[in-house]
Amino acid sequence: MVSENMLTVNMLLRVFFLPGALAGCPSSFLFVNMPHQMEALSGSCLQIPCSFSVTHPDYNPTNSILGIWFKNTTVTTSKPNPLIFKSDGSVNKYSLNMIGNVNEENCTTVFPDLKTTYTDTYYLRIEKGKFKASAVCEPLHITVGDSPWSPSINLPSDLKEHQSVTVTCSAFTPCPQSPPELTWNLQQDSLNQTEKNTDGTFTTKIQKNITLSDTHDGYNIRCSARYPVTGGNKTAETKVTLNVSYAPRNTSASISPSALVSAGSRVELSCSSRAKPPPSFTWFRNSKDGAMNVSVGQVHSFNVTEGGEYYCVATNNLGNDSSSRICISTKDKDSPWRPSINLPSDLKEHQSVTVTCSASTPCPQSPPELTWNLQQDSLNQTEKNTEGIFTTKIQENITLSHTHDGYNISCSARYHVTGGNKTAETEVTLSVSYAPRNTSASISPSGLVSAGSGVELSCSSRAKPPPSLTWFKNSSEGAIKLSVGQVHSFSAIQGGEYYCIAINDLGNQTSPVIYVTVTGLPFNPLYWGIIPVGCIMFICLFAGFWYFISKYRAPKLTQSQNSDVQMSAAKPEEQLHYGEIAFCRKTPETSSELVQHNEQTVYAEVKLSQ
């Protein structure tokens, strides 16, 4: 019995003292994985990530296991008693909660409602059957404070404009069951995310992706962390000022004196720009050969010999920016530049063209004001040419018609000068080609025309280029081409329908029809001689025929024949004989053309009776 008690005491002493006193550290059979130091906030909780493993023959997996916490020391005889917690619930001075499953070697523990007096060193002890060991080699030191931790703002160190970066605000989260609430001025209602770190602790964070610009330089990002504690909240804030590099911008140039200067007087040009890092300045002068480098530095001073256009360029390692042009005008030039009107050379109706009025603009800061009669309140546009010289212009799109031919386009340029304005004007007359229109035909004399009299038809049309004119007469077989030219003259023998067609390379147009009506016969002695001669010939022919019939009449009929004649008297038979007379008109000998007239046939009816 005594030997058994001595063995038990020996085993207890061996297991308890072996790790620290006899074997030294680290332990060769109880391995604990947890932080060596942790901070906590008074009034809040602290979750201690903890796990362990045992390599000892007395560690029997079938036995029940206890997780035990000691404060300050593992010596149970110390005053006050260092034992503060047992996982079986028999001891729990600080309301600890071992949320880890000890059977699975998870000893994670939560300290609720911490107080500053809880600041101390804590030891884990594992008891399982005969195995009893304290982790004296892996103590945990807990510091409980009254002030919350300031959140941290993380972003890249070298910030440049146009760079897309992720800004993160994060806060230490000792109590993931009641994490801090993060807010900042980058975005309202940002999503708080509580994440577990590799060492088992937790961090709460918010993030925002932004694309940097020059406006972000000097911007203050503020982030606050509000920790819930017993009876309220505790808040801490962090501020970070952004340092963003950017290319030159808002580059401007100024001149002193600013008004017109006399040739030979001194002028000082000054350049300014906003950039980070600060830029270098270079001055240029525009000439017909392009931009000329005249000096380096923020200020350029010189004696004026002639007018010109100057500008400066600000440059740093991120880019460059040019100032607007400064125009130096001397008092020697009094007349402004005349604007130019540009449009296609070959203008035709129905053609859509762009008309442009442009004026030289030596001073783009005070460009000329262009106005014209094509459109009121036209938009003035000042543009940079390929040579770096500026031009101001206005434009208008129009669809041409015949009404635009001869139209005058006038454009004026008003230049602003010291004490008033100076104006120059240009005018262009449009020459528009168009197809024939308003084509008409006339007759002289007008009204009824006597047969054989002279008639003159005249055709007119408005067209550009001038049209060719062709005369036609309608007939039963279609239109007959009569002549080419503006006037068609002829002797009226018979009436008819006449018209003309005007043609140029853009189209054609037909005139309305002219009706020529001829009255009476023409006065000709030959006509009046034909009629009597025809009548006499007809009478003579008829008399001769009658004489022939009377002389050769048949003798008297016999009785029988007479009977037949009487029988047939009921049906008398008439025989008709016709004679044909053709009249031909002879044209006057003075005519050089033969005119074919219709033949007139006259029939005479002769009855023969026996």
Side-chain angles (χ1 to χ4, degrees), residues 336-378:
W337 298 270
R338 291 168 58 89
S340 62
I341 299 175
N342 300 315
L343 68 164
S345 57
D346 186 16
L347 302 179
K348 297 177 182 178
E349 66 174 341
H350 311 307
Q351 181 182 358
S352 179
V353 298
T354 299
V355 186
T356 304
C357 178
S358 57
S360 175
T361 308
C363 184
Q365 295 84 359
S366 181
E369 180 183 355
L370 297 177
T371 57
W372 60 1
N373 58 342
L374 277 186
Q375 182 183 1
Q376 298 297 321
D377 303 324
S378 296

Side-chain angles (χ1 to χ4, degrees), residues 4-128:
E4 290 180 359
N5 291 336
M6 291 180 65
L7 179 61
T8 301
V9 173
N10 185 38
M11 285 295 296
L12 287 173
L13 291 174
R14 183 175 63 86
V15 172
F16 184 79
F17 292 108
L18 180 63
L22 300 178
C25 291
S27 173
S28 60
F29 52 87
L30 176 59
F31 305 96
V32 178
N33 183 20
M34 66 178 176
H36 294 293
Q37 292 188 8
M38 294 190 73
E39 293 182 356
L41 182 64
S42 61
S44 183
C45 75
L46 174 65
Q47 180 171 310
I48 304 169
C50 178
S51 63
F52 65 92
S53 62
V54 178
T55 57
H56 194 276
D58 292 338
Y59 189 78
N60 188 349
T62 60
N63 295 333
S64 60
I65 188 171
L66 281 177
I68 300 171
W69 283 101
F70 288 95
K71 180 182 179 182
N72 186 256
T73 181
T74 59
V75 179
T76 58
T77 58
S78 299
K79 299 295 183 180
N81 191 347
L83 178 62
I84 60 172
F85 174 79
K86 282 189 174 184
S87 59
D88 61 359
S90 60
V91 178
N92 194 353
K93 290 183 179 181
Y94 294 158
S95 301
L96 302 183
N97 182 16
M98 187 170 284
I99 60 176
N101 189 342
V102 187
N103 290 312
E104 296 178 357
E105 299 181 341
N106 187 338
C107 50
T108 301
T109 305
V110 175
F111 274 64
D113 192 16
L114 289 163
K115 298 175 175 57
T116 56
T117 56
Y118 292 178
T119 299
D120 213 323
T121 301
Y122 295 82
Y123 300 90
L124 176 69
R125 181 180 176 83
I126 300 298
E127 295 183 358
K128 188 176 179 65

Side-chain angles (χ1 to χ4, degrees), residues 300-372:
H300 173 50
S301 300
F302 60 100
N303 292 324
V304 176
T305 57
E306 60 179 346
E309 186 179 78
Y310 294 81
Y311 66 95
C312 65
V313 176
T315 306
N316 67 6
N317 60 338
L318 294 177
N320 60 74
D321 186 43
S322 297
S323 72
S324 55
R325 271 52 177 171
I326 287 183
C327 299
I328 298 179
S329 300
T330 62
K331 294 180 180 180
D332 298 336
K333 180 171 177 60
D334 293 328
S335 300
W337 298 270
R338 291 168 58 89
S340 62
I341 299 175
N342 300 315
L343 68 164
S345 57
D346 186 16
L347 302 179
K348 297 177 182 178
E349 66 174 341
H350 311 307
Q351 181 182 358
S352 179
V353 298
T354 299
V355 186
T356 304
C357 178
S358 57
S360 175
T361 308
C363 184
Q365 295 84 359
S366 181
E369 180 183 355
L370 297 177
T371 57
W372 60 1

Side-chain angles (χ1 to χ4, degrees), residues 557-589:
L557 301 176
T558 62
Q559 186 67 33
S560 60
Q561 290 172 335
N562 189 36
S563 175
D564 292 336
V565 171
Q566 292 178 356
M567 291 179 63
S568 61
K571 298 181 179 179
E573 179 176 342
E574 296 182 355
Q575 296 182 357
L576 298 181
H577 297 265
Y578 300 90
E580 180 177 315
I581 300 175
F583 298 92
C584 182
R585 297 179 181 177
K586 184 177 181 182
T587 58
E589 295 179 357

Side-chain angles (χ1 to χ4, degrees), residues 387-405:
E387 299 178 352
I389 301 174
F390 287 82
T391 300
T392 300
K393 68 179 182 180
I394 53 177
Q395 287 183 324
E396 177 71 13
N397 293 321
I398 60 175
T399 300
L400 298 173
S401 69
H402 67 282
T403 60
H404 288 105
D405 183 51

